[in-house]
Amino acid sequence: MTPHFTLKELTFTNHREFDNTPNAVQVNNLQRLAEFLEDVRSLLGKPIIIDSGFRSPEVNHAVGSTSVSQHLRGCAADFRVPGMTPAEVVKAIHGSDLPYDQLILELTWTHISIPNTDDAAPRKMALIIDKKGTRYYT
């Protein structure tokens, strides 16, 4: 897909009992996501380890995510960055001009998404989800 992100990496799941094959629209979204992740990688100056990208409905349900998750569309990734905490990652991205749709500081990873379609404007929504609940990142 891009120099640092493969389709295999963006569709990998530990829930191998479920088919996690994206359709053509989802592959197109994953291409846009991979290109965006290259920009995130450049901003951070470090490799990104993808924990979760595309999820079929079965995989999404198995991991306990919602039915409106952008992972279902191929527009979101959960990732870690060696040598950076999720708080450091979110701070860097939030303070940048990157056109993310949603940026979430989660317990041990960062969630990032792009708009669901090519023509949609990024919402630039930043959140924290932890043991205290969900709230806006400021």
Side-chain angles (χ1 to χ4, degrees), residues 86-108:
E88 292 168 330
V89 170
V90 168
K91 182 178 179 180
I93 296 169
H94 187 257
S96 77
D97 290 332
L98 288 178
Y100 61 85
D101 192 58
Q102 206 173 46
L103 176 66
I104 305 175
L105 171 58
E106 301 203 35
L107 298 173
T108 58

Side-chain angles (χ1 to χ4, degrees), residues 70-71 76-79 102-106 109-113:
Q70 287 179 288
H71 288 275
D78 296 337
F79 67 95
Q102 206 173 46
L103 176 66
I104 305 175
L105 171 58
E106 301 203 35
W109 68 90
T110 303
H111 168 97
I112 199 160
S113 67

